[in-house]
Amino acid sequence: ICAEMNRKAVHTRHSQGWVDVVIKNTVDLITRVKEAQSKNETVSIAYEGNVVSVWEALYDANIHISIGSDQTSLHNPWAGGYYPVDLSFEESNEMMSNHPDNFKKEVQRSLRRHVAAINKHTEKGTYFFDYGNAFLLESSRADADIAGDGKEFRYPSYVQDIMGPMCFDYGFGPFRWVCASNDPKDLKKTDQIATDVLEQLSQDAPERIQQQMQDNIKWIKGAQENKLVVGSQARILYADAQGRIEIARAFNTAIKMGEIGPVVLGRDHHDVSGTDSPYRETSNIYDGSRFTADMAIQNVIGDSFRGATWVSIHNGGGVGWGEVINGGFGMLIDGSIEAEKRLESMLFWDVNNGIARRNWARNENAVFAIKRAMESNPQLQVTLPHSVSDDLLNNV
């Protein structure tokens, strides 16, 4: 179940096939959920209304939620990123424009109620995580019951419990490419090239990253069927440094052979090392440096020296102004020998810069990944952490 206040957004997602069913009141929602549970049915439901109402209705109906999250755009809480419960979409927009102080009070009141509803579910065994769009942060500012032990929030960001250990520490992140020809045939060819590369790499990949390899092979194989393109002929695929380099090198060869047109490489800011964001991308770095904002700068400087076509530094990306620094790049590959040299040098740095930092923070999977990177490229020398046993440290 997902909840959305904007009718237009609900219609768009339903018409494009992202959700199966649209429901507009909690009575019908509870009936449909119970029906799906009784049939062990997989179904995606869009509730046209406020998510707080969903949490409360499910609790009152004694329906157990296994896993829950929040992706509300609370990095923009006073201008449409969050709609208070008990106000309609239209009422909220009117108050937002004409009575902003009252609107802020309504948002914070709603957040307190929102968190209270989530807490009731988690006390019954629900696993809740924050996506990282400042839900936990703004809830704390609203004096909601969100505090945990020490300086941590009650709930983790999904980077702390999921993305960090499973993907970012190993160097897996959202690698992107755009077919400059804007030809769907080129995109289809690049999908096949990426599939072939990943299937080949998976044959020799370590056991501990096989799940990531197979997940992404399945994703790219289904990309055409699921019609994921909205706008330009572009694709996004999670890959580590080796995967990105080998895919890009294969693209460059295909361009040289005249099989496809030029390709622009890039990545999301939500990646291994392109972003400093203490409540999301760097939230699983526990050596005290999660609140520093230097890695994104290091990334774009290194990328620029190693052959990026352009680099960018920006603030705010998905988390809020003043809460995050993002570093991005674009690289045009044109089939030339020079492009191959640039992509090898730049992509290797772009990923391993972040793995090195995660390794210094003593993240076990990052230590494994940076050792593997140094084996593949003897010119890379990264200091490894020396861990001390808790017993030894406590007895000093």
Side-chain angles (χ1 to χ4, degrees), residues 178-199:
V178 182
C179 296
S181 65
N182 204 36
D183 188 342
K185 293 179 181 178
D186 277 5
L187 183 62
K188 186 174 183 179
K189 289 177 183 177
T190 60
D191 285 347
Q192 186 58 55
I193 290 169
T195 301
D196 294 343
V197 168
L198 292 182
E199 287 184 331

Side-chain angles (χ1 to χ4, degrees), residues 164 169 272 281-292 295 353-368 370 382-388:
D169 286 353
V272 180
E281 283 83 358
T282 48
S283 60
N284 76 317
I285 294 178
Y286 299 108
D287 62 355
S289 70
R290 62 191 275 195
F291 291 97
T292 63
M295 185 168 66
N353 176 42
I355 298 177
R357 181 180 180 187
R358 295 167 189 279
N359 150 77
W360 294 325
R362 294 167 175 78
N363 293 10
E364 179 186 351
N365 296 340
V367 175
F368 167 84
I370 205 65
V382 176
T383 303
L384 299 175
H386 294 278
S387 298
V388 179

Side-chain angles (χ1 to χ4, degrees), residues 285-307:
I285 294 178
Y286 299 108
D287 62 355
S289 70
R290 62 191 275 195
F291 291 97
T292 63
D294 60 346
M295 185 168 66
I297 303 296
Q298 294 168 8
N299 245 53
V300 299
I301 293 173
D303 288 353
S304 66
F305 275 95
R306 288 165 174 79

Side-chain angles (χ1 to χ4, degrees), residues 227-274:
K227 300 177 181 176
L228 298 174
V229 172
V230 180
S232 57
Q233 297 299 311
R235 187 68 75 220
I236 190 166
L237 170 72
Y238 270 62
D240 60 5
Q242 183 186 26
R244 299 182 205 204
I245 291 169
E246 294 301 330
I247 290 170
R249 182 185 286 126
F251 288 169
N252 201 52
T253 299
I255 296 167
K256 179 181 178 181
M257 301 297 291
E259 297 172 4
I260 58 175
V263 171
V264 178
L265 305 178
R267 58 159 165 72
D268 200 319
H269 64 248
H270 180 60
D271 198 8
V272 180
S273 52

